[in-house]
Amino acid sequence: MTYIVNDACIACKYTDCVEVCPVDCFYEGENMLVIHPDECIDCGVCEPECPADAIRPDTEPDMEKWVEFNRKYSEMWPVIITKKDQLPTAEEMDGKEGKMELFSEAPGEGG
């Protein structure tokens, strides 16, 4: 099992999760985070830290696409281990549907 970040993170990018991760498996894009599925140790400490409820176990239905999505971008983006401010749009975008159209493949700054 691994944990993944889904589209609920897009345009929010809360980073509370990165501070509790014991293996530093979060990677930062311009407007969301992902988890490297091969680095995640399945501890689950990140899941309750996400205000947007964007972190889910891969054992839930239809998570295969998110495992591959997280794998792809974690290999392209820099690692993030330090909490940062959420995006300015976070409060208004939290819980919105259809956020994939806002997704950016651009990397974040990491750190």
Side-chain angles (χ1 to χ4, degrees):
M1 187 178 90
T2 187
Y3 284 83
I4 57 85
V5 180
N6 64 29
D7 57 341
C9 185
I10 297 171
C12 291
K13 198 168 89 170
Y14 294 103
T15 59
D16 306 69
C17 52
V18 303
E19 282 196 321
V20 299
C21 181
V23 294
D24 302 334
C25 65
F26 281 89
Y27 291 79
E28 184 183 13
E30 180 179 38
N31 68 352
M32 78 174 290
L33 304 176
V34 293
I35 295 171
H36 195 299
D38 297 334
E39 295 173 2
C40 176
I41 60 170
D42 314 323
C43 67
V45 297
C46 60
E47 186 179 19
E49 297 299 317
C50 181
D53 196 30
I55 300 173
R56 312 299 312 157
D58 73 343
T59 54
E60 291 185 358
D62 301 319
M63 287 293 145
E64 298 84 13
K65 70 178 180 182
W66 288 109
V67 171
E68 291 312 310
F69 180 94
N70 277 247
R71 181 182 316 281
K72 175 181 178 178
Y73 290 102
S74 65
E75 293 174 358
M76 297 169 54
W77 293 345
V79 70
I80 178 173
I81 59 172
T82 306
K83 183 178 176 179
K84 300 178 180 181
D85 291 338
Q86 71 267 15
L87 294 177
T89 56
E91 288 185 23
E92 83 179 69
M93 295 305 292
D94 192 357
K96 296 253 186 205
E97 297 289 321
K99 295 200 299 183
M100 274 308 293
E101 66 188 34
L102 303 174
F103 173 68
S104 169
E105 288 189 342
E109 295 176 5

